Amino acid sequence: MATTAQFITFSSTPLSKTNRITTFKPSSSSSFFFKQFPNKSLTVKAIISQESSIKTQTLNKEKNQFNHCFSKFEDGFLYCENNKVEDIFNSVEESPFYLYSKPQITRNVEAYSEALEGLNSIIGYAIKANNNLKVLEHLRTLGCGAVLVSGNELRLALHAGFDPTKCIFNGNGKLLEDLKLAAEAGVFVNVDSEFDLENIVEAAKSTKKKINVLLRINPDVDPQVHAYVATGNKNSKFGIRNEKLQWFLDEVKAHPNELKLVGAHCHLGSTITKVDIFRDAAVLMVNYIDQIRAQGFEIKYLNIGGGLGIDYHHAGAVLPTPMDLINTVRDLVLSRDLNLIIEPGRSLIANTCCLVCRVTGVKTNGTKNFIVGTGSMAELIRPSLYNAYQHIELISPPSPGAHASTYDVVGPVCESADFLGKDRELPTPDKGAGFVVHDAGAYCMSMASTYNLKMRPSEYWVEEDGSVEKIRHGESFEDYMRFFDGL
C-alpha cells in the first residue's frame, strides 16, 4: 500500500504543491514529520500517513489496555493517540520536552462533567498542578473554573479568561495585595486562619467590595497518603480548627458590609485512592453546615477539595473514577440543597502527559546499573521529593539482542537525589534512544527549576486532528541572562 502524506498547514490554508517541504521522504515506518520554523506566528502541524493512521487506530482499539493516551502497540513503539512518539522525538530538537494529549484532557474533564450530572456544581481546576497557559485556556473552554493559591495564579486565571464566579482563592498565607485583586475580580475566597480573615476584611474595606467567603475547616480526616500531601489532618498547616468555628462565625457577623459567608470547604490531601475518605469528610462537613445555617447564614456551597489519585504504576489497578467519587457524596449534597465545588488537579491533567528524554549513556559502578538521560530532577522532581513512582519505558523496540537489566534511571544533575526511577527492569537502550516518564502532567513542569542552570523545557501537545503544536517555548541561557540586564 503506498504511503500518502497529509501535508503541513499554516493556520487553515493548505500548502500548495510548490510550497511542500521537499526534504521529507516518508518511509514505511514514518507517520509524522515536524519542522520548527523561526516565525513563531505559524501553527506547526503534523504529517500523518493514511496508512499509518489506519494501522494505529486499529491497534489503539485492540491494545490500549489501560485506556491511556500513551500506549505501546504491537509494533513495539509507544504512541500518543495515533502519533508515534519516536517520530515526534526525532523531529523536535529539544530534549527533554513535555508531550501532552489535548484529547485526553478533554476526556478527563468530560468524566467529571458526566459524574456531576444532576448536581449544581463547579469543577475548579487546581492551577498549581499545571499552569501552562494553553492548557488553562482549553480547560476554560470546557467549562472549568479555577482554584488559585497565589496572586500570580489569580492573575493567570483572569488572563486565561476564567469566569471569576467559578474561581476559588485558597491558601494559608494569602497576601493583602492579592486579596485586594481577588475582591476586585469577585472570586470566592477561602478563610484559612484568624489573620487571614483579618486580611480579607481589610481587602474588602480597601476595595469597597463585599467578598464571598467559605470557611476552610480542617476535618481531621486521615487521607492515608504521603505526609507531604496530606492537608486535612490535625497536624496540617491548612484550615481552621473545629473548636474555633464559632469564633469565625461571630467575626463574619461582625463584618456584614465586608463579608458574605456562602460556603464551607475542606481539602484532605492528594493521591487519594479510597473514596470513602471523601464520604467521611463530607458527612462531617454537612453537619458543620447544618450548625452554620442554624445561626442564620445562607450557606449555598460545599467544597470538598480534590486529590483523587491515578494509576502511576500502570499495573492495571482498579482505582476510583470521578463517578465513584461524586457518587459517595451525591446524596449528602442533594439532601442539603448545596452547590458542590470539586477541585481536581492531578486527576484532570497527570495522565495526559509524558516527559520525553534522550539516553545520554549507560554505565555501571559495579553494584548498580544506570541509564543516564537528559531529563532530571530539575524538570521532574516528584521522585526525588516524595520518592514517588512514575512509570518509565522506552519509546521504541530495543536493538536485537539487547538484554534486560535492572537500572536506576537518572539525570545529569549534581545530586545523588537526581533520579527519575530506581530499580527498573528495562532493555538496555542504545545511546541516543528515547524514553518517557509517564503521567507527568501534574506537579512536574509546574515544579520544575533551573538547578544546575538546566533551563525549563519546551512543551507540545497532540491536537484532536493528530497535529502537533508547541504550547510553551523552552527557556534558554539568554533568557536567564536577561534577569541581570541593567543591573
Side-chain angles (χ1 to χ4, degrees):
M1 181 176 176
T3 300
T4 305
Q6 299 168 349
F7 282 86
I8 291 176
T9 61
F10 301 151
S11 301
S12 60
T13 306
L15 284 172
S16 68
K17 204 170 195 180
T18 56
N19 287 333
R20 290 175 179 173
I21 296 174
T22 57
T23 54
F24 175 56
K25 298 179 180 179
S27 65
S28 60
S29 62
S30 294
S31 63
F32 175 90
F33 177 77
F34 184 101
K35 185 174 177 65
Q36 179 66 44
F37 288 90
N39 186 340
K40 295 179 182 178
S41 67
L42 297 179
T43 300
V44 182
K45 298 294 184 181
I47 291 177
I48 305 174
S49 72
Q50 293 175 0
E51 176 186 39
S52 182
S53 179
I54 294 169
K55 173 185 175 185
T56 54
Q57 286 173 23
T58 302
L59 289 169
N60 190 35
K61 293 177 182 177
E62 296 174 354
K63 291 294 182 180
N64 201 352
Q65 183 178 358
F66 306 120
N67 193 25
H68 201 277
C69 57
F70 288 90
S71 295
K72 190 72 70 75
F73 293 149
E74 285 178 339
D75 59 4
F77 288 90
L78 184 70
Y79 286 79
C80 177
E81 303 295 339
N82 288 324
N83 283 355
K84 193 180 289 186
V85 174
E86 183 181 52
D87 291 333
I88 304 173
F89 171 74
N90 288 334
S91 304
V92 171
E93 293 181 1
E94 305 98 330
S95 178
F97 63 93
Y98 281 97
L99 178 64
Y100 298 77
S101 162
K102 187 178 180 183
Q104 185 66 49
I105 298 174
T106 302
R107 291 192 290 266
N108 289 347
V109 174
E110 288 174 345
Y112 271 100
S113 298
E114 291 170 6
L116 289 162
E117 286 183 5
L119 297 176
N120 294 318
S121 62
I122 296 173
I123 301 173
Y125 168 68
I127 286 182
K128 66 191 174 82
N130 186 307
N131 53 33
N132 183 288
L133 177 60
K134 294 296 185 182
V135 170
L136 298 183
E137 290 173 342
H138 182 52
L139 289 168
R140 185 255 304 159
T141 65
L142 295 172
C144 290
V147 173
L148 325 158
V149 291
S150 73
N152 281 339
E153 286 191 355
L154 172 55
R155 293 175 181 90
L156 184 61
L158 296 175
H159 181 84
F162 282 96
D163 180 351
T165 66
K166 296 169 117 179
C167 293
I168 305 97
F169 191 15
N170 288 341
N172 69 306
K174 298 184 287 292
L175 300 178
L176 179 57
E177 55 266 34
D178 295 333
L179 287 167
K180 291 178 182 178
L181 176 61
E184 292 284 2
V187 306
F188 293 106
V189 178
N190 276 331
V191 177
D192 188 87
S193 66
E194 292 87 344
F195 73 79
D196 193 38
L197 181 61
E198 180 181 336
N199 284 335
I200 295 168
V201 170
E202 179 60 31
K205 289 179 177 178
S206 177
T207 59
K208 297 182 171 54
K209 300 280 188 180
K210 181 181 282 193
I211 300 176
N212 290 323
V213 297
L214 293 84
L215 294 179
R216 178 167 182 170
I217 300 172
N218 185 331
D220 192 17
V221 171
D222 180 8
Q224 302 175 36
V225 297
H226 193 288
Y228 289 6
V229 292
T231 58
N233 56 36
K234 64 181 179 180
N235 296 319
S236 172
K237 70 176 183 176
F238 298 103
I240 66 175
R241 303 192 309 276
N242 305 340
E243 61 269 24
K244 289 282 289 184
L245 177 59
Q246 188 59 52
W247 183 91
F248 282 92
L249 296 178
D250 291 341
E251 283 297 299
V252 172
K253 290 176 186 176
H255 296 93
N257 297 323
E258 292 80 29
L259 306 176
K260 182 178 181 181
L261 180 58
V262 298
H265 170 255
C266 70
H267 195 291
L268 305 179
S270 193
T271 68
I272 298 171
T273 57
K274 298 178 180 178
V275 292
D276 58 344
I277 294 171
F278 290 97
R279 172 77 183 191
D280 293 343
V283 168
L284 293 172
M285 294 302 295
V286 295
N287 286 332
Y288 290 130
I289 287 173
D290 289 343
Q291 296 173 36
I292 297 169
R293 281 177 167 174
Q295 297 191 37
F297 292 99
E298 296 182 12
I299 300 299
K300 298 179 180 179
Y301 295 92
L302 170 61
N303 185 337
I304 62 169
L308 191 64
I310 67 165
D311 181 16
Y312 277 111
H313 284 80
H314 288 214
V318 179
L319 296 180
T321 65
M323 184 70 76
D324 296 327
L325 167 59
I326 301 305
N327 281 345
T328 62
V329 301
R330 182 182 301 276
D331 61 328
L332 291 169
V333 173
L334 291 172
S335 70
R336 302 313 198 273
D337 192 25
L338 290 163
N339 297 281
L340 180 65
I341 300 174
I342 186 80
E343 300 181 348
R346 183 188 318 274
S347 56
L348 280 185
I349 198 70
N351 72 349
T352 70
C353 177
C354 283
L355 179 67
V356 186
C357 310
R358 187 182 303 275
V359 174
T360 305
V362 177
K363 64 176 289 187
T364 181
N365 64 6
T367 58
K368 271 276 190 182
N369 299 319
F370 299 92
I371 295 173
V372 183
T374 52
S376 71
M377 65 184 292
E379 296 84 16
L380 197 159
I381 199 173
R382 291 188 68 255
S384 299
L385 183 61
Y386 307 123
N387 199 29
Y389 180 97
Q390 290 185 232
H391 191 59
I392 296 173
E393 66 179 324
L394 303 183
I395 65 174
S396 57
S399 297
H403 297 288
S405 296
T406 302
Y407 290 99
D408 283 4
V409 182
V410 302
V413 164
C414 193
E415 293 279 350
S416 293
D418 179 28
F419 65 92
L420 299 173
K422 289 190 172 183
D423 298 322
R424 304 299 177 88
E425 290 290 327
L426 291 166
T428 302
D430 295 329
K431 179 179 179 180
F435 68 91
V436 298
V437 183
H438 280 281
D439 303 309
Y443 306 104
C444 293
M445 182 60 171
S446 65
M447 297 175 74
S449 74
T450 57
Y451 187 47
N452 284 197
L453 276 187
K454 290 192 91 231
M455 299 293 106
R456 281 180 282 257
S458 300
E459 296 179 284
Y460 297 82
W461 68 16
V462 176
E463 299 259 16
E464 290 86 351
D465 63 359
S467 62
V468 174
E469 184 175 351
K470 179 179 277 191
I471 58 172
R472 178 176 170 138
H473 296 292
E475 297 174 8
S476 68
F477 180 73
E478 289 70 29
D479 294 328
Y480 173 77
M481 293 304 295
R482 275 193 277 273
F483 290 117
F484 306 97
D485 285 351
L487 299 180

